[in-house]
PDB file of all heavy atoms in Angstrom:
ATOM      1  N   VAL A1325       1.117  17.001  13.820  1.00 62.00           N
ATOM      2  CA  VAL A1325       0.281  16.662  12.686  1.00 62.00           C
ATOM      3  C   VAL A1325       1.116  15.834  11.726  1.00 62.00           C
ATOM      4  O   VAL A1325       2.246  16.190  11.408  1.00 62.00           O
ATOM      5  CB  VAL A1325      -0.233  17.941  11.961  1.00 62.00           C
ATOM      6  CG1 VAL A1325      -1.026  17.561  10.724  1.00 62.00           C
ATOM      7  CG2 VAL A1325      -1.066  18.784  12.912  1.00 62.00           C
ATOM      8  N   ASN A1341      -1.611 -10.807 -13.172  1.00 72.00           N
ATOM      9  CA  ASN A1341      -2.120 -12.036 -12.573  1.00 72.00           C
ATOM     10  C   ASN A1341      -1.121 -12.716 -11.641  1.00 72.00           C
ATOM     11  O   ASN A1341      -1.351 -13.839 -11.204  1.00 72.00           O
ATOM     12  CB  ASN A1341      -2.594 -13.006 -13.658  1.00 72.00           C
ATOM     13  CG  ASN A1341      -3.869 -12.503 -14.327  1.00 72.00           C
ATOM     14  OD1 ASN A1341      -4.741 -11.968 -13.662  1.00 72.00           O
ATOM     15  ND2 ASN A1341      -3.958 -12.645 -15.627  1.00 72.00           N
ATOM     16  N   SER A1348       5.701  -3.048   3.344  1.00 75.00           N
ATOM     17  CA  SER A1348       5.814  -1.847   4.173  1.00 75.00           C
ATOM     18  C   SER A1348       7.276  -1.627   4.499  1.00 75.00           C
ATOM     19  O   SER A1348       7.998  -2.579   4.792  1.00 75.00           O
ATOM     20  CB  SER A1348       5.026  -2.022   5.477  1.00 75.00           C
ATOM     21  OG  SER A1348       3.666  -2.118   5.211  1.00 75.00           O
ATOM     22  N   LEU A1349       7.687  -0.403   4.455  1.00 75.00           N
ATOM     23  CA  LEU A1349       9.070  -0.057   4.790  1.00 75.00           C
ATOM     24  C   LEU A1349       9.079   0.991   5.883  1.00 75.00           C
ATOM     25  O   LEU A1349       8.238   1.886   5.905  1.00 75.00           O
ATOM     26  CB  LEU A1349       9.803   0.498   3.565  1.00 75.00           C
ATOM     27  CG  LEU A1349       9.991  -0.454   2.389  1.00 75.00           C
ATOM     28  CD1 LEU A1349      10.606   0.299   1.210  1.00 75.00           C
ATOM     29  CD2 LEU A1349      10.864  -1.618   2.776  1.00 75.00           C
ATOM     30  N   HIS A1383       8.851  -2.402 -12.277  1.00 79.00           N
ATOM     31  CA  HIS A1383       8.737  -3.142 -13.525  1.00 79.00           C
ATOM     32  C   HIS A1383       9.018  -2.258 -14.733  1.00 79.00           C
ATOM     33  O   HIS A1383       9.030  -2.728 -15.861  1.00 79.00           O
ATOM     34  CB  HIS A1383       7.340  -3.762 -13.641  1.00 79.00           C
ATOM     35  CG  HIS A1383       7.087  -4.796 -12.593  1.00 79.00           C
ATOM     36  ND1 HIS A1383       7.603  -6.067 -12.660  1.00 79.00           N
ATOM     37  CD2 HIS A1383       6.413  -4.742 -11.419  1.00 79.00           C
ATOM     38  CE1 HIS A1383       7.242  -6.757 -11.598  1.00 79.00           C
ATOM     39  NE2 HIS A1383       6.514  -5.969 -10.826  1.00 79.00           N
ATOM     40  N   ILE A1388       9.700   7.838  -7.052  1.00 92.00           N
ATOM     41  CA  ILE A1388       9.001   8.721  -6.125  1.00 92.00           C
ATOM     42  C   ILE A1388      10.075   9.242  -5.171  1.00 92.00           C
ATOM     43  O   ILE A1388      10.776   8.454  -4.534  1.00 92.00           O
ATOM     44  CB  ILE A1388       7.904   8.005  -5.314  1.00 92.00           C
ATOM     45  CG1 ILE A1388       6.880   7.342  -6.234  1.00 92.00           C
ATOM     46  CG2 ILE A1388       7.214   8.998  -4.365  1.00 92.00           C
ATOM     47  CD1 ILE A1388       5.875   6.462  -5.494  1.00 92.00           C
ATOM     48  N   TYR A1389      10.197  10.568  -5.083  1.00 95.00           N
ATOM     49  CA  TYR A1389      11.151  11.208  -4.176  1.00 95.00           C
ATOM     50  C   TYR A1389      10.401  12.082  -3.174  1.00 95.00           C
ATOM     51  O   TYR A1389       9.441  12.754  -3.531  1.00 95.00           O
ATOM     52  CB  TYR A1389      12.121  12.136  -4.917  1.00 95.00           C
ATOM     53  CG  TYR A1389      12.938  11.515  -6.020  1.00 95.00           C
ATOM     54  CD1 TYR A1389      13.260  12.257  -7.148  1.00 95.00           C
ATOM     55  CD2 TYR A1389      13.398  10.214  -5.944  1.00 95.00           C
ATOM     56  CE1 TYR A1389      14.030  11.725  -8.170  1.00 95.00           C
ATOM     57  CE2 TYR A1389      14.159   9.669  -6.966  1.00 95.00           C
ATOM     58  CZ  TYR A1389      14.474  10.429  -8.071  1.00 95.00           C
ATOM     59  OH  TYR A1389      15.231   9.895  -9.081  1.00 95.00           O
ATOM     60  N   GLY A1402      16.853  16.810 -13.299  1.00 92.00           N
ATOM     61  CA  GLY A1402      16.880  16.638 -14.746  1.00 92.00           C
ATOM     62  C   GLY A1402      15.766  15.698 -15.176  1.00 92.00           C
ATOM     63  O   GLY A1402      15.352  14.822 -14.415  1.00 92.00           O
ATOM     64  N   TYR A1409       5.896  13.471 -15.338  1.00 95.00           N
ATOM     65  CA  TYR A1409       6.387  14.001 -14.069  1.00 95.00           C
ATOM     66  C   TYR A1409       5.281  14.784 -13.371  1.00 95.00           C
ATOM     67  O   TYR A1409       4.490  15.462 -14.023  1.00 95.00           O
ATOM     68  CB  TYR A1409       7.566  14.959 -14.285  1.00 95.00           C
ATOM     69  CG  TYR A1409       8.795  14.292 -14.820  1.00 95.00           C
ATOM     70  CD1 TYR A1409       9.021  14.173 -16.182  1.00 95.00           C
ATOM     71  CD2 TYR A1409       9.751  13.771 -13.947  1.00 95.00           C
ATOM     72  CE1 TYR A1409      10.154  13.567 -16.678  1.00 95.00           C
ATOM     73  CE2 TYR A1409      10.895  13.154 -14.434  1.00 95.00           C
ATOM     74  CZ  TYR A1409      11.091  13.050 -15.799  1.00 95.00           C
ATOM     75  OH  TYR A1409      12.208  12.439 -16.277  1.00 95.00           O
ATOM     76  N   PHE A1433       3.703  18.194 -15.034  1.00 93.00           N
ATOM     77  CA  PHE A1433       4.635  18.854 -15.945  1.00 93.00           C
ATOM     78  C   PHE A1433       4.434  18.410 -17.382  1.00 93.00           C
ATOM     79  O   PHE A1433       4.021  17.279 -17.648  1.00 93.00           O
ATOM     80  CB  PHE A1433       6.080  18.556 -15.524  1.00 93.00           C
ATOM     81  CG  PHE A1433       6.391  19.065 -14.148  1.00 93.00           C
ATOM     82  CD1 PHE A1433       6.298  18.223 -13.048  1.00 93.00           C
ATOM     83  CD2 PHE A1433       6.750  20.381 -13.941  1.00 93.00           C
ATOM     84  CE1 PHE A1433       6.568  18.688 -11.773  1.00 93.00           C
ATOM     85  CE2 PHE A1433       7.015  20.855 -12.672  1.00 93.00           C
ATOM     86  CZ  PHE A1433       6.921  19.997 -11.582  1.00 93.00           C
ATOM     87  N   GLY A1455       7.138  10.147 -10.968  1.00 92.00           N
ATOM     88  CA  GLY A1455       6.903   9.986 -12.390  1.00 92.00           C
ATOM     89  C   GLY A1455       7.658   8.801 -12.947  1.00 92.00           C
ATOM     90  O   GLY A1455       8.075   7.902 -12.232  1.00 92.00           O
ATOM     91  N   VAL A1464      -7.361   1.722 -16.942  1.00 80.00           N
ATOM     92  CA  VAL A1464      -8.747   1.886 -16.548  1.00 80.00           C
ATOM     93  C   VAL A1464      -8.825   1.671 -15.043  1.00 80.00           C
ATOM     94  O   VAL A1464      -8.289   0.688 -14.523  1.00 80.00           O
ATOM     95  CB  VAL A1464      -9.666   0.860 -17.269  1.00 80.00           C
ATOM     96  CG1 VAL A1464     -11.109   1.060 -16.866  1.00 80.00           C
ATOM     97  CG2 VAL A1464      -9.510   0.982 -18.772  1.00 80.00           C
ATOM     98  N   GLU A1486     -16.210 -13.706  -5.592  1.00 87.00           N
ATOM     99  CA  GLU A1486     -16.151 -15.167  -5.505  1.00 87.00           C
ATOM    100  C   GLU A1486     -15.164 -15.631  -4.426  1.00 87.00           C
ATOM    101  O   GLU A1486     -14.976 -16.822  -4.230  1.00 87.00           O
ATOM    102  CB  GLU A1486     -15.754 -15.749  -6.864  1.00 87.00           C
ATOM    103  CG  GLU A1486     -16.817 -15.573  -7.933  1.00 87.00           C
ATOM    104  CD  GLU A1486     -16.298 -15.897  -9.332  1.00 87.00           C
ATOM    105  OE1 GLU A1486     -15.144 -16.339  -9.490  1.00 87.00           O
ATOM    106  OE2 GLU A1486     -17.076 -15.700 -10.288  1.00 87.00           O
ATOM    107  N   LYS A1488     -11.852 -15.172  -4.391  1.00 80.00           N
ATOM    108  CA  LYS A1488     -10.549 -15.571  -4.914  1.00 80.00           C
ATOM    109  C   LYS A1488      -9.409 -14.668  -4.438  1.00 80.00           C
ATOM    110  O   LYS A1488      -8.250 -14.974  -4.666  1.00 80.00           O
ATOM    111  CB  LYS A1488     -10.589 -15.612  -6.444  1.00 80.00           C
ATOM    112  CG  LYS A1488     -11.491 -16.711  -6.969  1.00 80.00           C
ATOM    113  CD  LYS A1488     -11.489 -16.758  -8.478  1.00 80.00           C
ATOM    114  CE  LYS A1488     -12.390 -17.878  -8.977  1.00 80.00           C
ATOM    115  NZ  LYS A1488     -12.422 -17.906 -10.442  1.00 80.00           N
TER     116      LYS A1488
END
Side-chain angles (χ1 to χ4, degrees):
V1325 176
N1341 290 321
S1348 294
L1349 296 174
H1383 295 283
I1388 303 172
Y1389 303 146
Y1409 294 90
F1433 299 96
V1464 181
E1486 292 168 4
K1488 293 181 179 178

